[in-house]
Amino acid sequence: GGQMNAQAAGYGAFAGGDFLYAIGGQGDIPNVQTMSAELTTTPPTLGNIQAFTPGLNTPRIDVGATVQSGYFYVVGGTTTGNVVLNTFEYVLY
């Protein structure tokens, strides 16, 4: 596993199956990377942080995010050059 940047911003976040997922922005920079982190106990922390695929097709930051029927949906946000997006992407988790 790796580590998420403690000062990262702009992610869309999801919870599912004892994992937290972050998709999109990284440190105020539009990104395609997707990360997952397992919830662990004693004390409650995040562990086993790693990238998973597929990620996003378009680099995004400051996205809207939701989960429905086993899919993560990421909506809008901005991309490189501060271009506002009116598209969405989804991935099966």
mmCIF file of all heavy atoms in Angstrom, residues 28-58:
data_model
loop_
_atom_site.group_PDB
_atom_site.id
_atom_site.type_symbol
_atom_site.label_atom_id
_atom_site.label_comp_id
_atom_site.label_asym_id
_atom_site.label_seq_id
_atom_site.Cartn_x
_atom_site.Cartn_y
_atom_site.Cartn_z
ATOM 1 N N ASP A 28 -5.154 19.519 -4.787
ATOM 2 C CA ASP A 28 -5.630 20.650 -5.589
ATOM 3 C C ASP A 28 -5.228 20.569 -7.055
ATOM 4 O O ASP A 28 -5.200 21.566 -7.754
ATOM 5 C CB ASP A 28 -5.169 21.989 -5.007
ATOM 6 C CG ASP A 28 -6.099 22.476 -3.909
ATOM 7 O OD1 ASP A 28 -7.244 21.986 -3.843
ATOM 8 O OD2 ASP A 28 -5.692 23.337 -3.137
ATOM 9 N N ILE A 29 -4.922 19.372 -7.555
ATOM 10 C CA ILE A 29 -4.581 19.177 -8.960
ATOM 11 C C ILE A 29 -5.546 18.141 -9.541
ATOM 12 O O ILE A 29 -5.723 17.080 -8.959
ATOM 13 C CB ILE A 29 -3.132 18.672 -9.124
ATOM 14 C CG1 ILE A 29 -2.149 19.700 -8.560
ATOM 15 C CG2 ILE A 29 -2.818 18.370 -10.587
ATOM 16 C CD1 ILE A 29 -0.734 19.181 -8.462
ATOM 17 N N PRO A 30 -6.205 18.414 -10.681
ATOM 18 C CA PRO A 30 -7.066 17.407 -11.286
ATOM 19 C C PRO A 30 -6.282 16.117 -11.535
ATOM 20 O O PRO A 30 -5.145 16.146 -11.975
ATOM 21 C CB PRO A 30 -7.500 18.037 -12.606
ATOM 22 C CG PRO A 30 -7.396 19.499 -12.369
ATOM 23 C CD PRO A 30 -6.202 19.654 -11.464
ATOM 24 N N ASN A 31 -6.897 14.981 -11.227
ATOM 25 C CA ASN A 31 -6.186 13.721 -11.274
ATOM 26 C C ASN A 31 -7.131 12.614 -11.702
ATOM 27 O O ASN A 31 -8.328 12.713 -11.516
ATOM 28 C CB ASN A 31 -5.607 13.427 -9.879
ATOM 29 C CG ASN A 31 -4.510 12.396 -9.907
ATOM 30 O OD1 ASN A 31 -4.743 11.263 -10.290
ATOM 31 N ND2 ASN A 31 -3.330 12.775 -9.487
ATOM 32 N N VAL A 32 -6.593 11.522 -12.242
ATOM 33 C CA VAL A 32 -7.385 10.356 -12.604
ATOM 34 C C VAL A 32 -7.240 9.236 -11.586
ATOM 35 O O VAL A 32 -7.880 8.211 -11.680
ATOM 36 C CB VAL A 32 -7.006 9.807 -14.009
ATOM 37 C CG1 VAL A 32 -7.320 10.833 -15.075
ATOM 38 C CG2 VAL A 32 -5.557 9.389 -14.066
ATOM 39 N N GLN A 33 -6.389 9.430 -10.601
ATOM 40 C CA GLN A 33 -6.066 8.368 -9.654
ATOM 41 C C GLN A 33 -7.253 8.028 -8.749
ATOM 42 O O GLN A 33 -8.037 8.880 -8.367
ATOM 43 C CB GLN A 33 -4.884 8.789 -8.783
ATOM 44 C CG GLN A 33 -4.372 7.694 -7.890
ATOM 45 C CD GLN A 33 -3.104 8.113 -7.178
ATOM 46 O OE1 GLN A 33 -2.770 9.284 -7.129
ATOM 47 N NE2 GLN A 33 -2.415 7.165 -6.613
ATOM 48 N N THR A 34 -7.363 6.761 -8.405
ATOM 49 C CA THR A 34 -8.372 6.273 -7.489
ATOM 50 C C THR A 34 -7.668 5.530 -6.365
ATOM 51 O O THR A 34 -6.793 4.719 -6.612
ATOM 52 C CB THR A 34 -9.327 5.308 -8.212
ATOM 53 O OG1 THR A 34 -9.842 5.960 -9.356
ATOM 54 C CG2 THR A 34 -10.471 4.909 -7.319
ATOM 55 N N MET A 35 -8.046 5.824 -5.131
ATOM 56 C CA MET A 35 -7.419 5.192 -3.973
ATOM 57 C C MET A 35 -8.468 4.494 -3.134
ATOM 58 O O MET A 35 -9.616 4.903 -3.087
ATOM 59 C CB MET A 35 -6.725 6.246 -3.094
ATOM 60 C CG MET A 35 -5.674 7.070 -3.787
ATOM 61 S SD MET A 35 -4.211 6.131 -4.253
ATOM 62 C CE MET A 35 -3.510 5.768 -2.651
ATOM 63 N N SER A 36 -8.072 3.434 -2.461
ATOM 64 C CA SER A 36 -8.952 2.786 -1.500
ATOM 65 C C SER A 36 -8.196 2.629 -0.186
ATOM 66 O O SER A 36 -6.987 2.532 -0.159
ATOM 67 C CB SER A 36 -9.412 1.420 -1.998
ATOM 68 O OG SER A 36 -8.337 0.511 -2.056
ATOM 69 N N ALA A 37 -8.955 2.612 0.912
ATOM 70 C CA ALA A 37 -8.356 2.431 2.226
ATOM 71 C C ALA A 37 -9.271 1.547 3.057
ATOM 72 O O ALA A 37 -10.473 1.778 3.128
ATOM 73 C CB ALA A 37 -8.155 3.771 2.921
ATOM 74 N N GLU A 38 -8.700 0.546 3.681
ATOM 75 C CA GLU A 38 -9.472 -0.375 4.500
ATOM 76 C C GLU A 38 -9.666 0.197 5.889
ATOM 77 O O GLU A 38 -8.735 0.742 6.481
ATOM 78 C CB GLU A 38 -8.735 -1.705 4.588
ATOM 79 C CG GLU A 38 -9.512 -2.792 5.260
ATOM 80 C CD GLU A 38 -8.791 -4.124 5.162
ATOM 81 O OE1 GLU A 38 -7.601 -4.153 4.791
ATOM 82 O OE2 GLU A 38 -9.429 -5.132 5.460
ATOM 83 N N LEU A 39 -10.887 0.079 6.425
ATOM 84 C CA LEU A 39 -11.147 0.494 7.801
ATOM 85 C C LEU A 39 -10.618 -0.585 8.730
ATOM 86 O O LEU A 39 -10.955 -1.754 8.583
ATOM 87 C CB LEU A 39 -12.647 0.681 8.037
ATOM 88 C CG LEU A 39 -13.317 1.796 7.244
ATOM 89 C CD1 LEU A 39 -14.813 1.780 7.505
ATOM 90 C CD2 LEU A 39 -12.733 3.136 7.616
ATOM 91 N N THR A 40 -9.778 -0.198 9.670
ATOM 92 C CA THR A 40 -9.243 -1.149 10.635
ATOM 93 C C THR A 40 -9.643 -0.701 12.037
ATOM 94 O O THR A 40 -10.092 0.413 12.242
ATOM 95 C CB THR A 40 -7.709 -1.241 10.528
ATOM 96 O OG1 THR A 40 -7.147 0.032 10.800
ATOM 97 C CG2 THR A 40 -7.275 -1.693 9.143
ATOM 98 N N THR A 41 -9.461 -1.569 13.004
ATOM 99 C CA THR A 41 -9.866 -1.256 14.376
ATOM 100 C C THR A 41 -8.673 -1.235 15.309
ATOM 101 O O THR A 41 -7.562 -1.576 14.948
ATOM 102 C CB THR A 41 -10.880 -2.294 14.889
ATOM 103 O OG1 THR A 41 -10.301 -3.595 14.810
ATOM 104 C CG2 THR A 41 -12.151 -2.273 14.058
ATOM 105 N N THR A 42 -8.941 -0.798 16.534
ATOM 106 C CA THR A 42 -7.999 -0.783 17.662
ATOM 107 C C THR A 42 -6.739 0.012 17.400
ATOM 108 O O THR A 42 -5.691 -0.578 17.225
ATOM 109 C CB THR A 42 -7.628 -2.218 18.090
ATOM 110 O OG1 THR A 42 -8.730 -3.087 17.905
ATOM 111 C CG2 THR A 42 -7.258 -2.243 19.546
ATOM 112 N N PRO A 43 -6.768 1.302 17.371
ATOM 113 C CA PRO A 43 -7.933 2.179 17.321
ATOM 114 C C PRO A 43 -8.451 2.251 15.885
ATOM 115 O O PRO A 43 -7.744 1.833 14.969
ATOM 116 C CB PRO A 43 -7.386 3.532 17.765
ATOM 117 C CG PRO A 43 -5.968 3.515 17.288
ATOM 118 C CD PRO A 43 -5.518 2.071 17.414
ATOM 119 N N PRO A 44 -9.666 2.800 15.666
ATOM 120 C CA PRO A 44 -10.144 2.898 14.279
ATOM 121 C C PRO A 44 -9.215 3.779 13.446
ATOM 122 O O PRO A 44 -8.958 4.921 13.790
ATOM 123 C CB PRO A 44 -11.521 3.551 14.430
ATOM 124 C CG PRO A 44 -11.919 3.312 15.836
ATOM 125 C CD PRO A 44 -10.641 3.261 16.629
ATOM 126 N N THR A 45 -8.675 3.209 12.387
ATOM 127 C CA THR A 45 -7.763 3.930 11.492
ATOM 128 C C THR A 45 -7.995 3.464 10.068
ATOM 129 O O THR A 45 -8.789 2.566 9.812
ATOM 130 C CB THR A 45 -6.279 3.661 11.852
ATOM 131 O OG1 THR A 45 -6.022 2.274 11.677
ATOM 132 C CG2 THR A 45 -5.952 4.065 13.265
ATOM 133 N N LEU A 46 -7.285 4.064 9.144
ATOM 134 C CA LEU A 46 -7.279 3.626 7.753
ATOM 135 C C LEU A 46 -5.987 2.886 7.487
ATOM 136 O O LEU A 46 -4.916 3.332 7.868
ATOM 137 C CB LEU A 46 -7.397 4.814 6.808
ATOM 138 C CG LEU A 46 -8.676 5.634 6.911
ATOM 139 C CD1 LEU A 46 -8.612 6.816 5.964
ATOM 140 C CD2 LEU A 46 -9.889 4.780 6.622
ATOM 141 N N GLY A 47 -6.083 1.748 6.844
ATOM 142 C CA GLY A 47 -4.890 0.969 6.518
ATOM 143 C C GLY A 47 -4.989 0.440 5.106
ATOM 144 O O GLY A 47 -6.004 0.564 4.435
ATOM 145 N N ASN A 48 -3.930 -0.209 4.647
ATOM 146 C CA ASN A 48 -3.906 -0.853 3.343
ATOM 147 C C ASN A 48 -4.321 0.117 2.233
ATOM 148 O O ASN A 48 -5.118 -0.218 1.359
ATOM 149 C CB ASN A 48 -4.803 -2.094 3.339
ATOM 150 C CG ASN A 48 -4.566 -2.969 2.126
ATOM 151 O OD1 ASN A 48 -3.493 -2.956 1.553
ATOM 152 N ND2 ASN A 48 -5.571 -3.722 1.731
ATOM 153 N N ILE A 49 -3.791 1.329 2.259
ATOM 154 C CA ILE A 49 -4.126 2.338 1.253
ATOM 155 C C ILE A 49 -3.432 1.982 -0.060
ATOM 156 O O ILE A 49 -2.237 1.745 -0.094
ATOM 157 C CB ILE A 49 -3.710 3.737 1.721
ATOM 158 C CG1 ILE A 49 -4.499 4.107 2.987
ATOM 159 C CG2 ILE A 49 -3.942 4.774 0.633
ATOM 160 C CD1 ILE A 49 -4.047 5.386 3.641
ATOM 161 N N GLN A 50 -4.217 1.901 -1.132
ATOM 162 C CA GLN A 50 -3.645 1.531 -2.422
ATOM 163 C C GLN A 50 -4.481 2.082 -3.563
ATOM 164 O O GLN A 50 -5.643 2.411 -3.389
ATOM 165 C CB GLN A 50 -3.550 0.015 -2.537
ATOM 166 C CG GLN A 50 -4.872 -0.703 -2.349
ATOM 167 C CD GLN A 50 -4.694 -2.204 -2.281
ATOM 168 O OE1 GLN A 50 -3.957 -2.757 -3.095
ATOM 169 N NE2 GLN A 50 -5.333 -2.854 -1.348
ATOM 170 N N ALA A 51 -3.845 2.167 -4.708
ATOM 171 C CA ALA A 51 -4.560 2.590 -5.917
ATOM 172 C C ALA A 51 -5.333 1.401 -6.461
ATOM 173 O O ALA A 51 -4.940 0.263 -6.280
ATOM 174 C CB ALA A 51 -3.569 3.097 -6.954
ATOM 175 N N PHE A 52 -6.455 1.662 -7.106
ATOM 176 C CA PHE A 52 -7.159 0.598 -7.801
ATOM 177 C C PHE A 52 -7.593 1.117 -9.161
ATOM 178 O O PHE A 52 -7.649 2.300 -9.411
ATOM 179 C CB PHE A 52 -8.320 0.036 -6.984
ATOM 180 C CG PHE A 52 -9.548 0.910 -6.903
ATOM 181 C CD1 PHE A 52 -10.585 0.746 -7.803
ATOM 182 C CD2 PHE A 52 -9.675 1.867 -5.915
ATOM 183 C CE1 PHE A 52 -11.723 1.522 -7.719
ATOM 184 C CE2 PHE A 52 -10.820 2.653 -5.829
ATOM 185 C CZ PHE A 52 -11.848 2.481 -6.725
ATOM 186 N N THR A 53 -7.853 0.198 -10.064
ATOM 187 C CA THR A 53 -8.226 0.573 -11.414
ATOM 188 C C THR A 53 -9.564 -0.053 -11.757
ATOM 189 O O THR A 53 -9.946 -1.040 -11.152
ATOM 190 C CB THR A 53 -7.173 0.090 -12.433
ATOM 191 O OG1 THR A 53 -7.019 -1.314 -12.296
ATOM 192 C CG2 THR A 53 -5.844 0.768 -12.231
ATOM 193 N N PRO A 54 -10.304 0.467 -12.687
ATOM 194 C CA PRO A 54 -9.901 1.621 -13.484
ATOM 195 C C PRO A 54 -10.103 2.921 -12.722
ATOM 196 O O PRO A 54 -10.949 2.996 -11.843
ATOM 197 C CB PRO A 54 -10.845 1.553 -14.676
ATOM 198 C CG PRO A 54 -12.086 0.913 -14.141
ATOM 199 C CD PRO A 54 -11.606 -0.050 -13.074
ATOM 200 N N GLY A 55 -9.343 3.913 -13.068
ATOM 201 C CA GLY A 55 -9.522 5.245 -12.517
ATOM 202 C C GLY A 55 -10.423 6.047 -13.446
ATOM 203 O O GLY A 55 -11.191 5.495 -14.225
ATOM 204 N N LEU A 56 -10.310 7.347 -13.374
ATOM 205 C CA LEU A 56 -11.110 8.218 -14.236
ATOM 206 C C LEU A 56 -10.482 8.340 -15.612
ATOM 207 O O LEU A 56 -9.271 8.227 -15.766
ATOM 208 C CB LEU A 56 -11.210 9.608 -13.604
ATOM 209 C CG LEU A 56 -11.944 9.686 -12.270
ATOM 210 C CD1 LEU A 56 -11.780 11.069 -11.663
ATOM 211 C CD2 LEU A 56 -13.405 9.348 -12.441
ATOM 212 N N ASN A 57 -11.309 8.595 -16.607
ATOM 213 C CA ASN A 57 -10.802 8.862 -17.955
ATOM 214 C C ASN A 57 -10.355 10.307 -18.106
ATOM 215 O O ASN A 57 -9.444 10.609 -18.866
ATOM 216 C CB ASN A 57 -11.883 8.565 -19.007
ATOM 217 C CG ASN A 57 -12.200 7.096 -19.081
ATOM 218 O OD1 ASN A 57 -11.311 6.258 -19.062
ATOM 219 N ND2 ASN A 57 -13.476 6.776 -19.153
ATOM 220 N N THR A 58 -11.004 11.220 -17.393
ATOM 221 C CA THR A 58 -10.703 12.650 -17.453
ATOM 222 C C THR A 58 -10.198 13.105 -16.096
ATOM 223 O O THR A 58 -10.860 12.847 -15.090
ATOM 224 C CB THR A 58 -11.972 13.447 -17.812
ATOM 225 O OG1 THR A 58 -12.491 12.959 -19.046
ATOM 226 C CG2 THR A 58 -11.680 14.934 -17.927
#
